[in-house]
Amino acid sequence: MPFVEFIAGCISGAVGLAFGHPMDTVKVRLQTQVKYKGIFDCVARTYTREGIPGFFKGMAFPVLTTGITNAVVFGSYSNALDCLTQSQWNDRIQGNPASASAVFAAGCFSGLAQVVVTAPVDLVKVRLQSQTKGWAGVGGDGYRGPIHCMTVILREEGPRGLFRGGLALTLRDVPCYGIYFLPYEISCRFLTEEGKRPGTFAVLMAGGVAGVVTWAFATPMDVVKARLQMSGAGGRVYRGLLHCMSVSLKEEGVRVFFKGLLLNSLRAFPVNAITFLSYESLMRFLTRPPAD
């Protein structure tokens, strides 16, 4: 059933995003603004000036669209793995695991497939999250919401503006989605008795490990992506990917590429544990044989 994976991915993605969005907001602000001294300073300032709603800025649009994004990720991955291994999800979790190379290749394919969907959504999310009190964006005004943000970007920058930072996003997501599924599959096998389905503990641990490992690799390009997305919209103007990297390195040193890494790791474990558990639980429900 090739569409079941898309349904399970859609729901599990929305659950994971809602859980992790406040920490993601702090991460984006640390990466795009130099005024914060660290995680606790950013949290304190955000709470003092904007209250609890400040941590949920930009969430409405991703929640509505992350279902599509995650559906593409998990659906593309699972179906690509089906083709590469000539097997199905039920076969693989019952003692017929895919090879590491097949898992990595299918993961890379899923990363590439979701970039087209993710780029505009992620751009709007980052710009809304970066708005602080008194912030002025493109045209001198703050964004009133996701639709207004998209309208302003299209008016001021054209359709290409919605894909600002798209190259950095592609360079981040294609290899990192290959890495994302690999530690998950390996951890699940290690924590599961041979011939049995992974239990709740195995899925939670494997999902958490997958998230942390992936963000360890993804954070440098994530910093570049966020800065390019804010270029000309309240942030420093960069001519492109290499210019952003060279300027950031010159002004802030190598440490700049690891801004938000600690927060990414703290957020990644529970968010991805919940995402994978939701996905696996939904897959078991949706693929169970009909009762006699």
Side-chain angles (χ1 to χ4, degrees):
M1 290 184 286
F3 294 106
V4 169
E5 292 89 345
F6 289 93
I7 297 171
C10 177
I11 299 172
S12 64
V15 171
L17 183 139
F19 184 83
H21 193 81
M23 287 181 280
D24 187 61
T25 297
V26 176
K27 183 241 350 176
V28 167
R29 291 186 175 189
L30 285 172
Q31 289 178 339
T32 60
Q33 301 173 37
V34 297
K35 63 183 179 181
Y36 300 114
K37 298 175 183 176
I39 294 173
F40 294 110
D41 180 49
C42 182
V43 170
R45 289 197 193 192
T46 299
Y47 181 75
T48 301
R49 297 177 181 177
E50 303 166 65
I52 296 296
F55 295 100
F56 292 91
K57 277 189 173 180
M59 190 178 86
F61 192 47
V63 162
L64 292 174
T65 55
T66 196
I68 299 173
T69 303
N70 231 54
V72 172
V73 169
F74 280 90
S76 299
Y77 168 74
S78 189
N79 282 279
L81 205 55
D82 289 350
C83 292
L84 291 170
T85 62
Q86 297 299 304
S87 64
Q88 293 189 333
W89 180 81
N90 272 321
D91 300 323
R92 292 194 295 273
I93 65 169
Q94 290 180 330
N96 185 28
S99 67
S101 59
V103 169
F104 181 77
C108 289
F109 175 76
S110 73
L112 181 61
Q114 60 85 48
V115 164
V116 176
V117 179
T118 301
V121 176
D122 194 64
L123 174 68
V124 172
K125 175 184 75 69
V126 166
R127 291 200 175 181
L128 289 175
Q129 287 175 316
S130 295
Q131 285 192 138
T132 55
K133 204 167 184 179
W135 184 92
V138 178
D141 298 315
Y143 301 122
R144 297 191 294 269
I147 303 302
H148 180 247
C149 181
M150 289 186 70
T151 302
V152 172
I153 292 170
L154 285 169
R155 183 177 69 240
E156 300 290 339
E157 305 175 58
R160 290 183 61 185
L162 289 174
F163 292 88
R164 183 181 290 274
L167 176 58
L169 183 67
T170 303
L171 292 174
R172 184 196 74 174
D173 284 357
V174 172
C176 284
Y177 270 106
I179 295 169
Y180 181 55
F181 287 102
L182 195 56
Y184 174 75
E185 297 286 353
I186 293 172
S187 298
C188 265
R189 293 176 204 173
F190 179 77
L191 296 169
T192 305
E193 290 184 36
E194 191 173 348
K196 291 188 177 182
R197 289 189 172 195
T200 300
F201 176 76
V203 172
L204 283 171
M205 291 301 296
V209 169
V212 172
V213 171
T214 302
W215 274 110
F217 284 92
T219 296
M221 194 54 66
D222 189 55
V223 173
V224 177
K225 172 195 71 70
R227 292 188 171 204
L228 287 172
Q229 288 173 325
M230 287 303 299
S231 180
R236 175 79 175 266
V237 177
Y238 300 105
R239 294 194 298 271
L241 181 76
L242 295 178
H243 181 242
C244 178
M245 293 176 70
S246 62
V247 168
S248 298
L249 180 63
K250 182 179 179 181
E251 294 183 352
E252 300 175 62
V254 176
R255 292 180 62 183
V256 68
F257 298 113
F258 296 94
K259 276 191 171 183
L261 176 58
L262 175 59
L263 197 60
N264 275 335
S265 298
L266 292 173
R267 178 178 65 96
F269 194 96
V271 167
N272 287 282
I274 290 171
T275 299
F276 271 103
L277 182 62
S278 301
Y279 177 77
E280 295 288 354
S281 299
L282 286 164
M283 284 296 294
R284 290 178 188 182
F285 175 76
L286 294 170
T287 59
R288 66 182 180 180
D292 294 331

